[in-house]
Amino acid sequence: MDSDADGLSTEEARRRFEEFGANEITSEEGRGALEVLVSQFTSGLVLVLVGAAVLSVAVGHVVDAVLITVILLANGIFGFVQEYRAERSLEALRELAAPSVMVYRDGARQDVDISEVVPGDVLVLEQGDAVPADARIAESASLQVDEAPLTGESVPVEKSSEELDSETPLAERENMVYRGTTVTRGRGEAVVVETGMDTEMGTIATELSEAETRQTPLQRDLDRLGRRIGIGVLVLSALVIPFLVFRGTALLSAALTAISLAVAAIPEGLPAVVTLTLALGVQQMADENALVRTLPSVESLGSVDVVCTDKTGTLTEGKMRVARLWVHDEVIDDAFDPEDDRVGTLLRVGALCNDADDERGEPTEQALRQAAIDAGIDVDALRNDTPREGEVPFSSDRKRMATVHADRIRVKGAPEVVLERSTRVLTADGVAELDEATRNRIREQVETFADSALRVLAFADKPTDDGGDPEENLVFVGLQGLIDPARPEVADAITETHLAGIDVKMITGDNRRTAQAIGREVGIESDVLTGPELDAMDDAELRERVEDVDIYARATPSHKVRILRALQDDGRTVAMTGDGVNDAPALKNADVGIAMGVRGTDVAKQASDIILLDDNYATIKNAIRRGRTIFDNVWKFVAYLLSANLAEVLLVFVASLFGYLILPAVQLLWINLLTDGLPALALGADAESSDVMRREPRASTDGIIDRPMTTLMGGVGLTTTVVLLGVMFLTLRGAPEVTPYVMTMVFTGFVVFEFVKLYVVRWSRGTPPLTNRWLAGAVSASFVLHLSVLYTPLNQYFGTVPLGIDDWGRLLAALAVAVPGFLGVAWYVRRSTREHWTTQNRTGDEPRRGTDDERPSGTTERDRDVR
């Protein structure tokens, strides 16, 4: 870097600033508020609705246009608020920087603005400092850095100036510090090698800015539906208007019929009802510790078939604790009894050779201190009674620490280092010579602890007056095995996730052994693929391995994105968790990005779709359950609304062929308002079905408008059309024109049919008919509203007349004819849906966890039958 211990001259620093630019995280300018707002009105369905509103104004139907416009604006504003917040994700990167940093300039220490740091500057790093750029360590004294935001490593990393191989993975580069990390202990000096967008943080910012926004299956379906409806409306209008004019119908009447067909074809309330139902689900998920930032991600949860999860704090508790002790030939993993001389000595050495206190301290030392407290030792009193008179601080070169007290010298460090300096061992019978056999047993115990994902430290002491080197001729006291333990509820949550046909892949910055041990404990067992091994693969090789490997160790930010893309290229719908700045690109590229709310960075939260308020994997499982339930409810009201629109189109179209305008646009809008409003929204409050987590996920290529839905729409829509055409012809009695009475009978019959059909649609999806009190209230309120347009002065605006008791009797008779047809179609759909779920489980190319071919333990015959 053409620099030295005195740093750069002011003149050279200025020259390099001009050459390399400011030390800032930059990005392409995001979309402005107006651009985001306009984008809310560009989908196919919305454009068709805009066209219908314009056409309604053109022919004088202002009320129709107002209703459509209000629905469009409400939906657009809600979407704008959600999407505009997501545009701020990159801004959080720029807010991570400290305002100034200490460097050497002209041979002296100077405070400079972080943006003025240039390659070649010599940084002065001390405890609590935020690292402003990527730099190579030149000097270090007990320097430790928290790299969790960048690598996911749960324990602060010891830093040194030693030379490393150029191929060393980022998480193991002990001679480098990186922008966005924090010094937790010690001090050091480092030469800046990369600034701004050339730093590891800058690389992440670049990936984040290039991430594409992925449409959810529901968004794709609604856009596709809008395009098809638009084409259908144009085709119908092109056919109907000339046909009617040819038959002698006035051009205005033909245009009104075309508008009625357009209004009948368009489910005006669908976008709003989808939005409101998702919003209702969002509120329920917030009560379950999952905060949703983007509404469409709720629906995506229903089709997730892979969860890529961090280990630290998500599968584990995110806090180190002492799990196991070894004292001469005895392993203790239950209560630690300080009355046992060996255990008491081991815990006291750990508490005294320790810099942690109530407010601060490195996580490992905090765990050692807490272990002594939990065993009943008063650590504060112990330290007061045994004050420290000297110390030899910990360093990455020495891998040990020693403290000097009036009575004894206490030492802790890496097991092999402490073992080499010990000549004696504390046994149940007192101090004895440390022979080679005992040394080998200790080494074996260290390996056993490590295989259980324990971080192992060794402890020793000796009398202060022993003489000689304070760290030689030690008495080996024992081992303490520390772990970030798995959350107790995670294993059951992963089992349930597997039963739901969802793979779980753990991606961690920890080493292979720790990753595999934690995976085994929570129920994720597979081969382990490390970052360096992944680097050696091309994308095609990774795609072949990614389905079989569920544990990834020593993973870096780029590895996460590669794993994600390999899964998505295989057609998988992926939920990705993360908490650090390093996770932002993966979170934004994932189908569902899930950030940690407790320890997550602002960047990760802004890039995510969902934030876990408790950082708990079990909450992810609950969110998937909720997502599937929401999708079921969305399926029900989409099927309900579209079957109504299909029946309206068929009824208006067939009647027009006979020269009748049976349902004018205002009546069709009223029908849509009643059905698209409270009753459809109440479907969003339906409870989950009993088998919601015993099904395979929906394939990402499957639309919401699937074969069961089209069968239901066609069967129920056709039944409604045929029966109401019968009502029309019976009440016409050969009259040449449709009278207000005939219109009112068909109009009211349609409304009544739709209210009954609500319960039929729910039953077709396996929902018991009478389990939603909100739905009963919504139907009652909507029916009262309909009566108001029959029996109040409002009827003059709708072209209706009051109906008598005989008329209601005729409508009930028509309903009695239609209901068996409704139930027959619903029974067929219900059976075919269950067969479809079962077939998915039987015929997949590669069985996933939770299928009959690869089933977690505890799966019952009932589980298999349900699937």
Side-chain angles (χ1 to χ4, degrees):
M1 302 309 299
D2 195 20
S3 184
D4 57 34
D6 291 334
L8 303 174
S9 67
T10 301
E11 182 180 347
E12 177 62 15
R14 186 180 299 113
R15 188 193 69 77
R16 295 191 184 193
F17 183 87
E18 293 175 356
E19 178 182 353
F20 295 102
N23 178 35
E24 295 176 345
I25 302 296
T26 59
S27 64
E28 296 181 3
E29 187 175 348
R31 294 187 301 167
L34 181 60
E35 186 179 355
V36 175
L37 181 61
V38 170
S39 70
Q40 305 303 312
F41 301 96
T42 57
S43 71
L45 185 58
V46 170
L47 290 176
V48 173
L49 292 173
V50 170
V54 171
L55 192 58
S56 296
V57 171
V59 297
H61 284 237
V62 178
V63 174
D64 302 356
V66 169
L67 285 173
I68 296 172
T69 303
V70 168
I71 292 172
L72 282 175
L73 287 176
N75 188 58
I77 291 172
F78 200 98
F80 163 76
V81 171
Q82 295 294 324
E83 193 169 337
Y84 187 66
R85 289 175 58 193
E87 289 294 322
R88 298 184 63 251
S89 59
L90 280 175
E91 295 178 15
L93 280 167
R94 291 192 285 271
E95 297 170 0
L96 287 176
S100 64
V101 62
M102 182 76 71
V103 301
Y104 280 101
R105 292 271 176 91
D106 298 319
R109 292 188 178 191
Q110 296 183 21
D111 274 329
V112 299
D113 190 278
I114 190 172
S115 65
E116 298 175 2
V117 173
V118 296
D121 266 329
V122 178
L123 302 173
V124 179
L125 302 173
E126 297 179 346
Q127 183 173 343
D129 286 349
V131 180
D134 292 1
R136 170 68 156 82
I137 300 294
E139 294 182 11
S140 69
S142 302
L143 182 65
Q144 291 187 347
V145 178
D146 178 9
E147 295 187 342
L150 190 63
T151 66
E153 184 73 51
S154 57
V155 177
V157 180
E158 301 163 13
K159 296 295 181 179
S160 71
S161 60
E162 67 178 284
E163 184 176 330
L164 298 175
D165 186 274
S166 61
E167 300 301 319
T168 303
L170 184 145
E172 300 176 8
R173 295 175 195 167
E174 297 177 356
N175 59 7
M176 290 287 296
V177 289
Y178 298 98
R179 179 176 180 137
T181 62
T182 306
V183 177
T184 60
R185 182 175 184 173
R187 59 180 180 80
E189 294 179 1
V191 182
V192 174
V193 296
E194 301 288 1
T195 59
M197 297 301 288
D198 293 325
T199 62
E200 294 291 336
M201 194 73 68
T203 301
I204 293 169
T206 300
E207 293 181 21
L208 188 56
S209 66
E210 294 173 352
E212 296 182 2
T213 302
R214 298 170 61 88
Q215 280 193 316
T216 68
L218 182 57
Q219 288 174 314
R220 291 194 295 268
D221 281 354
L222 292 180
D223 280 352
R224 190 185 305 119
L225 175 66
R227 289 192 297 270
R228 290 175 178 174
I229 288 176
I231 294 171
V233 167
L234 291 175
V235 171
L236 277 175
S237 298
L239 292 174
V240 169
I241 293 179
F243 176 77
L244 293 180
V245 171
F246 176 77
R247 291 191 54 179
T249 305
L251 182 61
L252 179 60
S253 297
L256 289 174
T257 301
I259 291 176
S260 293
L261 280 171
V263 171
I266 300 170
E268 293 90 348
L270 184 56
V273 174
V274 169
T275 300
L276 290 172
T277 301
L278 294 180
L280 177 62
V282 165
Q283 182 59 52
Q284 294 169 329
M285 291 173 69
D287 294 338
E288 298 168 353
N289 290 319
L291 182 63
V292 177
R293 295 185 63 256
T294 57
L295 286 181
S297 62
V298 179
E299 182 263 335
S300 291
L301 279 170
S303 56
V304 162
D305 55 20
V306 181
V307 176
C308 294
T309 177
D310 289 339
K311 176 187 74 69
T312 305
T314 306
L315 301 180
T316 64
E317 294 178 356
K319 183 178 181 181
M320 300 294 289
R321 69 174 176 85
V322 176
R324 196 170 299 166
L325 306 179
W326 179 90
V327 291
H328 187 261
D329 285 342
E330 185 178 354
V331 175
I332 303 168
D333 53 11
D334 296 321
F336 305 150
D337 181 10
E339 297 301 319
D340 182 310
D341 183 57
R342 295 166 299 163
V343 173
T345 300
L346 176 59
L347 294 173
R348 280 187 278 272
V349 172
L352 290 170
C353 188
N354 191 322
D355 292 329
D357 57 28
D358 284 336
E359 298 179 354
R360 57 188 175 276
E362 191 268 336
T364 299
E365 292 195 332
Q366 285 282 14
L368 297 174
R369 176 177 178 272
Q370 191 61 45
I373 293 173
D374 291 344
I377 297 173
D378 187 335
V379 171
D380 291 336
L382 175 66
R383 291 177 174 178
N384 288 332
D385 296 339
T386 317
R388 185 183 301 183
E389 297 180 352
E391 67 177 281
V392 184
F394 181 90
S395 75
S396 57
D397 293 330
R398 291 165 21 81
K399 296 188 181 347
R400 64 187 183 277
M401 172 185 181
T403 56
V404 180
H405 307 264
D407 58 340
R408 302 184 77 81
I409 295 170
R410 274 90 178 179
V411 179
K412 78 168 186 288
E416 193 58 42
V417 172
V418 175
L419 199 57
E420 287 175 359
R421 285 158 177 75
S422 299
T423 57
R424 295 163 289 172
V425 62
L426 181 61
T427 72
D429 299 323
V431 176
E433 291 298 313
L434 182 58
D435 56 28
E436 194 59 30
T438 303
R439 289 178 186 275
N440 288 335
R441 290 200 303 275
I442 293 172
R443 292 187 182 102
E444 291 173 1
Q445 195 61 60
V446 171
E447 291 295 316
T448 300
F449 276 17
D451 287 337
S452 299
L454 299 178
R455 185 185 185 207
V456 189
L457 291 177
F459 299 81
D461 70 357
K462 71 173 184 176
T464 303
D465 56 9
D466 245 14
D469 188 319
E471 295 180 330
E472 296 292 344
N473 195 31
L474 298 171
V475 177
F476 193 91
V477 174
L479 304 170
Q480 295 197 45
L482 298 94
I483 192 171
D484 177 9
R487 292 177 181 264
E489 67 275 15
V490 163
D492 287 343
I494 288 178
T495 297
E496 187 170 354
T497 308
H498 283 161
L499 283 171
I502 301 170
D503 288 343
V504 182
K505 297 184 184 293
M506 181 174 71
I507 306 175
T508 176
D510 286 327
N511 62 54
R512 177 192 295 267
R513 178 175 281 172
T514 299
Q516 196 158 31
I518 289 293
R520 190 184 311 119
E521 185 174 351
V522 299
I524 306 174
E525 296 197 48
S526 84
D527 293 336
V528 179
L529 191 64
T530 64
E533 292 168 342
L534 194 150
D535 286 332
M537 298 179 179
D538 60 26
D539 290 343
E541 291 174 313
L542 180 57
R543 281 189 61 180
E544 291 181 4
R545 292 293 310 279
V546 75
E547 292 290 350
D548 300 323
V549 176
D550 289 343
I551 301 176
Y552 297 84
R554 288 301 186 204
T556 66
S558 59
H559 295 148
K560 266 196 167 183
V561 176
R562 282 194 68 197
I563 293 166
L564 170 69
R565 287 176 177 163
L567 288 165
Q568 289 175 333
D569 287 345
D570 272 353
R572 309 297 293 273
T573 302
V574 185
M576 174 73 73
T577 74
D579 57 8
V581 176
N582 61 313
D583 296 318
L587 291 174
K588 194 164 186 180
N589 279 286
D591 298 281
V592 182
I594 303 174
M596 303 298 110
V598 177
R599 69 181 190 281
T601 61
D602 287 342
V603 177
K605 293 175 185 177
Q606 289 287 346
S608 68
D609 301 301
I610 295 172
I611 299 173
L612 300 186
L613 301 181
D614 57 0
D615 290 12
N616 191 341
Y617 177 83
T619 302
I620 300 175
K621 179 263 296 181
N622 291 336
I624 291 173
R625 176 193 294 273
R626 179 64 60 188
R628 289 188 174 193
T629 300
I630 290 170
F631 176 81
D632 273 0
N633 293 341
V634 170
W635 188 97
K636 283 182 281 191
F637 71 68
V638 169
Y640 172 62
L641 297 187
L642 294 186
S643 64
N645 287 99
L646 176 63
E648 289 170 359
V649 168
L650 290 174
L651 187 60
V652 171
F653 180 70
V654 173
S656 70
L657 297 181
F658 289 93
Y660 301 117
L661 177 59
I662 187 60
L663 291 175
V666 67
Q667 292 185 3
L668 288 167
L669 277 171
W670 181 253
I671 293 172
N672 290 351
L673 181 63
L674 290 184
T675 57
D676 298 3
L678 293 177
L681 184 58
L683 286 177
D686 265 353
E688 66 186 52
S689 61
S690 59
D691 64 346
V692 71
M693 289 296 279
R694 292 293 185 272
R695 312 173 192 159
E696 284 284 301
R698 290 187 305 122
S700 59
T701 54
D702 286 351
I704 191 170
I705 305 174
D706 51 15
R707 181 176 296 178
M709 183 182 291
T710 55
T711 302
L712 185 69
M713 288 165 47
V716 172
L718 190 61
T719 301
T720 300
T721 302
V722 170
V723 174
L724 289 180
L725 282 173
V727 171
M728 181 188 77
F729 284 115
L730 287 174
T731 51
L732 274 172
R733 296 175 183 176
E737 293 184 358
V738 173
T739 64
Y741 168 71
V742 175
M743 280 187 182
T744 304
M745 286 291 288
V746 175
F747 176 41
T748 301
F750 207 110
V751 170
V752 172
F753 279 28
E754 290 305 302
F755 290 158
V756 172
K757 193 177 70 181
L758 271 167
Y759 293 92
V760 174
V761 170
R762 293 175 73 241
W763 181 73
S764 74
R765 199 69 176 178
T767 307
L770 303 177
T771 56
N772 188 337
R773 58 190 176 89
W774 298 106
L775 183 62
V779 169
S780 300
S782 297
F783 187 67
V784 170
L785 284 174
H786 183 71
L787 294 179
S788 71
V789 302
L790 299 183
Y791 299 103
T792 73
L794 287 175
N795 57 19
Q796 60 183 310
Y797 299 106
F798 287 87
T800 60
V801 296
L803 296 178
I805 293 181
D806 291 345
D807 300 320
W808 285 104
R810 295 186 185 97
L811 290 178
L812 288 177
L815 182 63
V817 172
V819 165
F822 289 167
L823 292 176
V825 173
W827 173 84
Y828 177 80
V829 168
R830 183 170 180 172
R831 189 187 68 172
S832 62
T833 301
R834 288 180 172 177
E835 288 177 354
H836 175 65
W837 289 334
T838 305
T839 302
Q840 275 190 314
N841 282 323
R842 279 201 307 263
T843 62
D845 293 334
E846 292 292 336
R848 300 175 188 159
R849 283 127 186 95
T851 66
D852 291 336
D853 299 279
E854 188 175 349
R855 190 166 44 248
S857 60
T859 305
T860 64
E861 287 297 329
R862 178 185 176 278
D863 294 330
R864 292 193 288 274
D865 290 343
V866 168
R867 288 201 308 282

